[in-house]
Amino acid sequence: MTFTLVRTAADLHARADAGRRAVVMTMGALHEGHATLVRAARDRVGPDGTVVVTVFVNPLQFGAGEDLDRYPRTLDADLRVAEAAGADAVFAPSVDEVYPGGEPQVRISAGPMGERLEGASRPGHFDGMLTVVAKLLHLTAPDLAFFGQKDAQQLALIRRMVRDLNFPVGIVGVPTVREDDGLALSSRNRYLSPAERRTALALSRALFAARDRLAAQEALRARATALPGAQSRAETRAEALSRLGEARAAADAHAVAQVAEGGGAEAVRAAAQAVLDDAAKAEPPLTLDYLALVDPADFTEVADDHDGEAILAVAARVGTTRLIDNLPLTFGATK
């Protein structure tokens, strides 16, 4: 079938689609990050499947003073991006189509996870997000739904909702897409002036500094635990520092102790925080909202001796633009 713009759920359901259906949910202003999601969906369902892109600026997830009216509406350009990336249809409903009779009286609650990090900064945001995702899943009836890892807390909440409420859909996460300078692709990047953009690069630099610190710690631990004859991990670490002459690591006694115990979370946070502290002194400055190293299951802060998967998440303002970014990390990968 030819690429189409669909305005109502009835027209979408009337399409004679074959194979599996995948949906990519967006609020429009499509960029390469969205195109990557569409391509991933196309690859998964194959040439016989159907890929639907939703374009809907959801008023429920904008709080007081946020940028609902300012949010870019670029449907003509969105259609071109979606079609070029391999979509079969764009579903761009009106507010009345999604919320007939006005805002819904019954909504989905994001629960405790929805009150942390982004939820604390934007009260009610995740309730509104989950409510519209639930409605769009019903309206589009997909087999698979694709979401970006850049909105990691959103992705975790959607997965939890689908599991807890038995939605018959598979949720697929797609890695964050970045611009050449490292800035995570976002529709809000267009609001940044050249000077603000230079400051905003501190978000990704902070994440990469933390990743590099963790990699160094894991490499030292791997070399330490490979030494023969160690009686304990702490003794192995001391021997490794002595034998290998790791002067820099030896000088950082706190980090060394944490690596010896299998942790290192505090040192990883500190590496990111140092970059953000420098950016706070830039012109224009970065104003940090939060930096958190969390368990991806519930977005609670991990302990300093954490082993396993984690997400380092950051949110900050540069000028009037609020940006978020995150990076998945694995502690104890060398065990």
Side-chain angles (χ1 to χ4, degrees), residues 135-153:
K135 288 183 69 73
L136 289 173
L137 287 175
H138 289 311
L139 292 172
T140 59
D143 300 289
L144 299 167
F146 289 72
F147 296 91
Q149 177 65 36
K150 175 181 168 289
D151 296 296
Q153 193 172 3

Side-chain angles (χ1 to χ4, degrees), residues 135-177:
K135 288 183 69 73
L136 289 173
L137 287 175
H138 289 311
L139 292 172
T140 59
D143 300 289
L144 299 167
F146 289 72
F147 296 91
Q149 177 65 36
K150 175 181 168 289
D151 296 296
Q153 193 172 3
Q154 170 180 284
L155 175 58
L157 282 163
I158 292 170
R159 283 178 165 150
R160 185 79 194 204
M161 177 186 72
V162 165
R163 182 172 71 249
D164 287 354
L165 301 184
N166 300 106
F167 278 72
V169 61
I171 303 300
V172 181
V174 178
T176 300
V177 179

Side-chain angles (χ1 to χ4, degrees), residues 35-267:
T36 299
L37 293 174
V38 175
R39 288 192 290 268
R42 169 55 64 202
D43 288 344
R44 182 67 69 89
V45 301
D48 296 329
T50 300
V51 177
V52 176
V53 175
T54 69
V55 174
F56 180 67
V57 181
N58 177 35
L60 296 191
Q61 64 195 74
F62 287 81
E66 293 190 332
D67 54 357
L68 174 60
D69 293 334
R70 185 187 178 202
Y71 199 87
R73 275 91 166 161
T74 58
L75 183 57
D76 289 342
D78 294 343
L79 295 174
R80 292 191 292 271
V81 172
E83 183 176 15
D88 298 290
V90 165
F91 177 46
S94 66
V95 173
D96 288 340
E97 177 73 13
V98 178
Y99 301 122
E103 292 189 359
Q105 296 300 301
V106 176
R107 307 186 187 193
I108 291 179
S109 170
M113 195 197 315
E115 298 172 357
R116 299 171 187 136
L117 301 188
E118 284 298 289
S121 297
R122 306 174 66 189
H125 165 73
F126 285 126
D127 292 355
M129 179 276 294
L130 289 178
T131 298
V132 78
V133 168
K135 288 183 69 73
L136 289 173
L137 287 175
H138 289 311
L139 292 172
T140 59
D143 300 289
L144 299 167
F146 289 72
F147 296 91
Q149 177 65 36
K150 175 181 168 289
D151 296 296
Q153 193 172 3
Q154 170 180 284
L155 175 58
L157 282 163
I158 292 170
R159 283 178 165 150
R160 185 79 194 204
M161 177 186 72
V162 165
R163 182 172 71 249
D164 287 354
L165 301 184
N166 300 106
F167 278 72
V169 61
I171 303 300
V172 181
V174 178
T176 300
V177 179
R178 299 184 180 279
E179 301 194 40
D180 291 343
D181 57 10
L183 190 67
L185 280 172
S186 169
S187 302
R188 289 185 170 91
N189 290 353
R190 67 184 67 195
Y191 301 148
L192 298 169
S193 70
E196 289 171 342
R197 185 185 176 91
R198 287 193 293 272
T199 297
L201 292 176
L203 272 73
S204 56
R205 286 204 307 269
L207 298 178
F208 298 155
R211 177 198 61 193
D212 293 345
R213 180 56 184 266
L214 176 59
Q217 292 183 167
E218 293 294 332
L220 286 172
R221 179 160 61 182
R223 293 165 70 181
T225 55
L227 289 175
Q231 296 178 358
S232 70
R233 184 177 294 172
E235 290 174 349
T236 299
R237 190 73 190 106
E239 289 179 16
L241 292 174
S242 175
R243 297 185 189 184
L244 299 174
E246 298 283 1
R248 182 177 179 184
D252 189 353
H254 184 63
V256 168
Q258 290 204 331
V259 172
E261 296 168 2
E266 184 175 337

